[in-house]
Structure formats: C-alpha cells, structure tokens
Amino acid sequence: MQNRKLTYLQAVNESLHQILDTIPESYLLGEDVGAYGGGFGATAGIIEKYPDRVLETPISEAAITGIATGSAILGKRPILEIQFSDFLTVAIDQLVNEAAKIHFLSNGKESVPMVLRTASGSGTGAGPQHSQSLENWLAHIPGLIVAMPSNAYDAKGIMLSAVKNNNPVIVFEPKSLYKIESDIDIPEAMYEVPLGHARIVKDGSDLTIIALGRMVNIAKNIDTPYSIEIVDPITINPLDIDTLLESANKTNRVLILTESIEKSGISAEILSRLIEGGFSGKIKRLGSKFSPIAAAQSIEEKLIPTDDEILEAIEGLMHEN
C-alpha cells in the first residue's frame, strides 16, 4: 500500500472532494467555504471544481442551518460548516427545534440528511468564545447524531458515513488536531467509519482510558509503567456502551478523559451508563475545569486535563483499595 500520511485537515478536505465527486445531491454551504477555503481550509479547492455546489453564506449561523435543513427535506444532502462550535449557540433553534424534530413530527415521512461540521475545543489560544467543547449539549437531543473523530483516518471515514445517513449528523472536529498527521496510512479510496461504533485504540490489561477527541492523542502519549487500554467512542450519540463496558470489565479500572468541562459533561453520562451496565470496578472521570477557556496559553493549557493530573488519576485508580 502506498504510504499516505495526511493531516486531519487534509483528510477532511479529501473526503469532501470525493463526496461531491460521487454524491450528486451533496453540496457545501457556510461562511467563507468558497474562495477562502473555509475557516481552517477544509473546503479548499472545491468551489473551483464545483462552482454551482458551494454556497457562500452571510454571517448568520441560524440562516445557514435553516437553509441546510430545508434543502435536506427536499432531497439534497447539504454539508454545512459552522466555523467554531461556539457559534452553534446561534443555530441552536434550527438544530434542536427543527432539524432534530422533523422526522418525528412528520410521522417518519420526512428526513433531514444533513451534516454539520464544526471546529471545537481549545489548544489554539482562540479565547473563551472560540474554544468551547459543547458536544454534550447536542448529544442530549433526540434526533441528532453526534460524532467527534480523534484522528485523520476517522475524520475522513466518518464524513462519508455522515453524508449517507438520513438523519442530521453533527461532526465536532477538534481544531487542535487539524495539523496533526495520521500515524497510519489513509486510503485514497473512499471508505466509511461507522457511526455508533467505538474502537480499541490500544490494548491493555491494567486500566482502561475512555478518551474523546483531542484526549485520545494525549492518552496515547502518557508515559506510565502500567498496561493501559485506550478506547475511543468516536460517536457520542449513539454511544457504543457495549464496547466501553467490555473494556471496563476487562481491566476493572476506568478513567474517563474529556476536553469538555467535567461538570454535567458527557463523562458523567458514560460513567453512569457503565455502572448501570453492571460495572463494579474503580472509576474516575477527568475533564476541563469549570471555567471559560483563557486565550493565554499558560492558563489555557492548565484548564484541560494536564499530563500530571492524568498520571495522578491513573496512580489513584491503580492503588485505591
């Protein structure tokens, strides 16, 4: 196989090119997705190839999401970009009260097959209004599928699965990963990473780390003497609790690691689902501090789980009676 190492951003861009090449109902819309190539460059080169299938929009996330919802009902498969996940707050009515509800309200007669891509999380010094991790908000809403690929391979494969799905899919892309190159080859051909299936990233026997998004890479790079198993849910809703529970029961120790704020976060949902599923071992969750994300790097990097905090949590779980 040809050696193809792509960055996360290159993988997303390649997937979008291939989707427009092969799925005629698909089109792109959002702020600066045309000549500028998207907020981070994910849509670069597409408007030149498909000038009639890239819609440059005004700065109105509500309008972008409303247009996508309406066109999806009429048979299109829109892929909209919301530049920063923080701006979902402007589109929340269209997402929560319209896109997520239409299949239910129409008694299954109508579907909304749209994909919303958005850059999420901290790590770039973008400040408190451009660095939030709000994925748990949308995972709470029936009718929305929520995914967070943690690497270039999954970022490419999730996009095709999302576009082919007949429900609205929200794909949170941790922007701190955009320039990170894959550690495995990325096939040039199109492929799907299935929604709703977790993956064992690393086998281990002493302790399971369930990590989401950016935290997967951080967990992989933790230097510890223990045999650590790392599980990436990939999809937050639906959550593949069976795979998570199997790993938890295997090691009998679990650390749930998220970039999103720990309080009322997705980590609490995973913890409760594991316990309800019969897990009786040691368990701890670790997420960001209950604080807005600072622009100053010296503060920002201390708000998300640090290596020292992760190591301390691992040691606590390994030695707790």
Side-chain angles (χ1 to χ4, degrees):
M1 179 178 178
Q2 183 183 3
N3 187 284
R4 293 187 81 240
K5 299 294 194 293
L6 302 181
T7 67
Y8 193 113
L9 198 60
Q10 288 170 333
V12 173
N13 180 257
E14 182 169 271
S15 71
L16 294 176
H17 274 273
Q18 292 176 336
I19 287 165
L20 264 70
D21 283 343
T22 57
I23 302 176
E25 298 84 10
S26 64
Y27 75 100
L28 306 182
L29 72 161
E31 301 161 18
D32 299 323
V33 295
Y36 188 72
F40 294 88
T43 60
I46 296 179
I47 195 169
E48 290 82 1
K49 191 172 183 181
Y50 292 106
D52 297 329
R53 291 170 62 192
V54 178
L55 178 61
E56 295 263 28
T57 68
I59 303 174
S60 174
E61 286 76 18
I64 298 166
T65 311
I67 291 168
T69 301
S71 65
I73 294 170
L74 294 174
K76 297 296 184 181
R77 292 189 177 263
I79 306 169
L80 60 149
E81 177 179 297
I82 301 295
Q83 285 189 4
F84 291 86
S85 65
D86 313 68
F87 304 161
L88 288 171
T89 55
V90 186
I92 205 80
D93 180 55
Q94 291 291 341
L95 278 175
V96 172
N97 292 325
E98 302 299 337
K101 304 290 190 293
I102 286 170
H103 185 74
F104 175 80
L105 292 172
S106 66
N107 199 26
K109 293 179 181 179
E110 304 291 348
S111 295
V112 185
M114 74 180 197
V115 179
L116 188 155
R117 295 180 43 253
T118 188
S120 73
S122 62
T124 62
Q129 296 167 319
H130 299 74
S131 303
Q132 298 172 87
S133 298
L134 304 177
E135 58 273 9
N136 196 47
W137 285 17
L138 298 180
H140 181 73
I141 305 302
L144 297 179
I145 294 173
V146 181
M148 181 179 277
S150 68
N151 58 78
Y153 180 90
D154 288 343
K156 179 177 176 179
I158 279 287
M159 195 57 57
L160 180 58
S161 294
V163 170
K164 293 173 70 174
N165 198 283
N166 287 327
N167 302 286
V169 180
I170 318 300
V171 181
F172 285 89
E173 300 169 356
K175 56 182 175 288
S176 60
L177 301 180
Y178 273 154
K179 297 180 181 179
I180 303 297
E181 193 174 79
S182 59
D183 55 8
I184 62 172
D185 288 332
I186 307 296
E188 186 171 0
M190 299 177 76
Y191 60 89
E192 292 186 52
V193 170
L195 296 159
H197 293 270
R199 178 183 297 124
I200 306 296
V201 175
K202 177 177 175 289
D203 287 322
S205 57
D206 291 334
L207 181 144
T208 294
I209 296 180
I210 299 171
L212 282 80
R214 178 188 180 191
M215 293 293 106
V216 175
N217 266 4
I218 290 176
K220 286 165 64 177
N221 291 323
I222 288 292
D223 185 12
T224 172
Y226 305 109
S227 176
I228 304 295
E229 180 147 298
I230 301 174
V231 188
D232 181 358
I234 306 175
T235 310
I236 299 170
N237 186 43
L239 186 66
D240 180 6
I241 196 64
D242 290 341
T243 299
L244 305 187
L245 189 58
E246 183 179 353
S247 179
N249 287 329
K250 171 185 173 183
T251 66
N252 209 40
R253 297 177 180 88
V254 176
L255 174 61
I256 305 166
L257 191 56
T258 69
E259 182 179 3
S260 58
I261 288 172
E262 184 176 307
K263 182 178 180 180
S264 303
I266 184 64
S267 60
E269 173 68 14
I270 294 172
L271 184 147
S272 63
R273 294 280 297 278
L274 289 175
I275 292 173
E276 289 168 354
F279 177 68
S280 58
K282 302 171 183 177
I283 190 165
K284 180 178 177 57
R285 60 197 182 103
L286 193 59
S288 287
K289 313 297 188 297
F290 193 60
S291 168
I293 299 294
Q297 184 178 1
S298 59
I299 302 175
E300 180 186 41
E301 63 188 14
K302 289 180 173 59
L303 292 175
I304 68 164
T306 65
D307 287 0
D308 287 343
E309 289 170 336
I310 296 169
L311 286 169
E312 182 181 352
I314 290 172
E315 289 291 340
L317 287 165
M318 291 303 302
H319 295 102
E320 182 182 312
N321 293 324

Coordinates of all heavy atoms in Angstrom, one line a residue, residues 185-215:
D185 N -1.6 4.8 7.5 CA -1.9 5.3 6.1 C -3.3 5.5 5.9 O -4.2 4.8 6.4 CB -1.4 4.2 5.1 CG 0.1 4.0 5.0 OD1 0.8 5.1 5.3 OD2 0.6 2.9 4.7
I186 N -3.6 6.6 5.1 CA -5.0 6.9 4.8 C -5.3 6.5 3.4 O -4.7 6.9 2.4 CB -5.2 8.5 4.9 CG1 -4.8 9.0 6.3 CG2 -6.7 8.8 4.6 CD1 -5.5 8.5 7.4
P187 N -6.2 5.6 3.2 CA -6.5 5.1 1.9 C -7.0 6.2 1.0 O -7.7 7.1 1.4 CB -7.7 4.1 2.1 CG -7.5 3.7 3.5 CD -7.0 4.8 4.2
E188 N -6.6 6.2 -0.3 CA -7.0 7.2 -1.2 C -8.5 7.0 -1.6 O -9.3 7.9 -1.8 CB -6.2 7.2 -2.5 CG -6.5 8.4 -3.4 CD -5.5 8.5 -4.5 OE1 -4.5 7.7 -4.6 OE2 -5.6 9.4 -5.4
A189 N -8.9 5.8 -1.7 CA -10.3 5.4 -2.0 C -11.2 5.8 -0.8 O -10.8 6.0 0.3 CB -10.4 3.9 -2.2
M190 N -12.5 6.0 -1.2 CA -13.5 6.4 -0.2 C -13.7 5.2 0.7 O -13.7 4.0 0.3 CB -14.8 6.8 -0.8 CG -14.7 8.0 -1.7 SD -16.2 8.4 -2.6 CE -17.2 9.1 -1.3
Y191 N -14.0 5.4 2.0 CA -14.3 4.4 2.9 C -15.1 5.0 4.1 O -15.2 6.2 4.2 CB -13.0 3.7 3.5 CG -12.1 4.7 4.3 CD1 -12.3 5.0 5.7 CD2 -11.1 5.4 3.6 CE1 -11.5 5.9 6.3 CE2 -10.3 6.3 4.3 CZ -10.5 6.6 5.7 OH -9.7 7.5 6.3
E192 N -15.8 4.1 4.8 CA -16.7 4.6 5.9 C -16.2 4.1 7.2 O -15.7 3.0 7.4 CB -18.1 4.0 5.7 CG -18.9 4.6 4.5 CD -20.3 4.1 4.4 OE1 -21.0 4.3 5.5 OE2 -20.7 3.6 3.4
V193 N -16.2 5.0 8.2 CA -16.0 4.7 9.6 C -17.5 4.7 10.2 O -18.1 5.8 10.1 CB -15.1 5.6 10.3 CG1 -15.2 5.4 11.8 CG2 -13.7 5.5 9.8
P194 N -18.0 3.6 10.6 CA -19.4 3.5 11.0 C -19.7 4.4 12.2 O -18.9 4.5 13.2 CB -19.6 2.1 11.3 CG -18.3 1.5 11.6 CD -17.3 2.3 10.8
L195 N -20.9 5.0 12.2 CA -21.4 5.8 13.3 C -21.9 4.8 14.3 O -22.4 3.8 14.0 CB -22.5 6.7 12.8 CG -22.1 7.8 11.8 CD1 -23.3 8.3 11.1 CD2 -21.4 9.0 12.6
G196 N -21.7 5.2 15.6 CA -22.2 4.4 16.7 C -21.3 3.2 17.1 O -21.8 2.3 17.8
H197 N -20.0 3.2 16.6 CA -19.1 2.1 17.0 C -17.8 2.7 17.6 O -17.2 3.5 16.9 CB -18.8 1.2 15.8 CG -20.0 0.5 15.2 ND1 -20.3 -0.8 15.7 CD2 -20.9 0.8 14.3 CE1 -21.4 -1.2 15.1 NE2 -21.8 -0.3 14.2
A198 N -17.5 2.2 18.8 CA -16.3 2.6 19.4 C -15.1 1.8 18.9 O -15.3 0.8 18.2 CB -16.4 2.5 20.9
R199 N -13.9 2.2 19.2 CA -12.7 1.5 18.7 C -11.7 1.3 19.9 O -11.5 2.3 20.6 CB -12.0 2.2 17.5 CG -10.8 1.4 17.1 CD -10.0 2.1 15.9 NE -10.9 2.2 14.7 CZ -11.2 3.3 14.1 NH1 -10.8 4.5 14.6 NH2 -11.9 3.3 13.0
I200 N -11.1 0.2 20.0 CA -10.0 0.0 20.9 C -8.7 0.5 20.2 O -8.3 0.0 19.2 CB -9.8 -1.5 21.3 CG1 -11.1 -2.1 21.8 CG2 -8.6 -1.7 22.3 CD1 -11.6 -1.6 23.1
V201 N -8.2 1.6 20.7 CA -7.1 2.3 20.1 C -5.8 1.6 20.5 O -4.8 1.5 19.7 CB -7.0 3.8 20.5 CG1 -5.8 4.5 20.0 CG2 -8.3 4.5 20.0
K202 N -5.8 1.1 21.7 CA -4.6 0.5 22.3 C -5.0 -0.6 23.3 O -5.8 -0.3 24.1 CB -3.7 1.5 22.9 CG -2.4 1.0 23.6 CD -1.6 2.1 24.2 CE -0.4 1.6 24.9 NZ -0.8 1.0 26.2
D203 N -4.5 -1.8 23.1 CA -4.8 -2.9 24.0 C -4.0 -2.7 25.3 O -2.9 -2.3 25.4 CB -4.5 -4.2 23.4 CG -5.4 -4.6 22.3 OD1 -6.6 -4.4 22.5 OD2 -5.0 -5.2 21.3
G204 N -4.7 -3.1 26.4 CA -4.0 -3.1 27.7 C -4.8 -3.9 28.7 O -5.9 -4.4 28.4
S205 N -4.2 -4.1 29.9 CA -4.8 -5.1 30.9 C -5.0 -4.4 32.3 O -5.7 -5.0 33.1 CB -4.0 -6.3 31.0 OG -2.6 -6.0 31.3
D206 N -4.3 -3.3 32.6 CA -4.3 -2.8 33.9 C -5.4 -1.8 34.1 O -6.0 -1.7 35.2 CB -3.0 -2.1 34.3 CG -1.9 -3.1 34.4 OD1 -2.2 -4.3 34.7 OD2 -0.7 -2.8 34.2
L207 N -5.7 -1.0 33.1 CA -6.6 0.2 33.3 C -7.1 0.6 31.9 O -6.4 0.6 30.9 CB -5.9 1.3 34.0 CG -6.7 2.6 34.3 CD1 -6.3 3.2 35.6 CD2 -6.5 3.7 33.2
T208 N -8.4 1.0 31.9 CA -9.0 1.5 30.6 C -9.1 3.0 30.7 O -9.6 3.5 31.7 CB -10.4 0.9 30.4 OG1 -10.3 -0.5 30.2 CG2 -11.1 1.5 29.2
I209 N -8.6 3.7 29.7 CA -8.9 5.1 29.5 C -9.9 5.2 28.3 O -9.6 4.8 27.2 CB -7.6 5.9 29.2 CG1 -6.7 5.9 30.3 CG2 -8.0 7.4 28.9 CD1 -5.4 6.7 30.1
I210 N -11.1 5.8 28.7 CA -12.1 6.1 27.6 C -11.9 7.6 27.3 O -12.1 8.5 28.2 CB -13.5 5.9 28.1 CG1 -13.7 4.4 28.4 CG2 -14.5 6.3 27.1 CD1 -15.0 4.1 29.1
A211 N -11.3 7.9 26.2 CA -10.9 9.3 25.8 C -11.7 9.7 24.6 O -11.9 8.9 23.7 CB -9.4 9.3 25.5
L212 N -12.1 11.0 24.6 CA -12.8 11.6 23.5 C -12.0 12.7 22.8 O -11.3 13.5 23.4 CB -14.1 12.2 23.9 CG -15.3 11.2 24.2 CD1 -15.1 10.6 25.6 CD2 -16.6 12.0 24.2
G213 N -12.1 12.7 21.5 CA -11.5 13.8 20.7 C -10.0 14.0 20.9 O -9.2 13.0 20.8
R214 N -9.6 15.2 21.2 CA -8.2 15.5 21.5 C -7.6 14.7 22.5 O -6.4 14.4 22.5 CB -8.2 17.0 21.8 CG -6.8 17.6 22.1 CD -6.9 19.0 22.7 NE -5.6 19.6 23.0 CZ -5.5 20.7 23.7 NH1 -6.6 21.4 24.1 NH2 -4.3 21.2 23.9
M215 N -8.3 14.2 23.5 CA -7.8 13.5 24.7 C -7.3 12.1 24.3 O -6.5 11.5 25.0 CB -8.9 13.3 25.7 CG -9.3 14.6 26.4 SD -7.9 15.4 27.4 CE -7.5 16.8 26.4

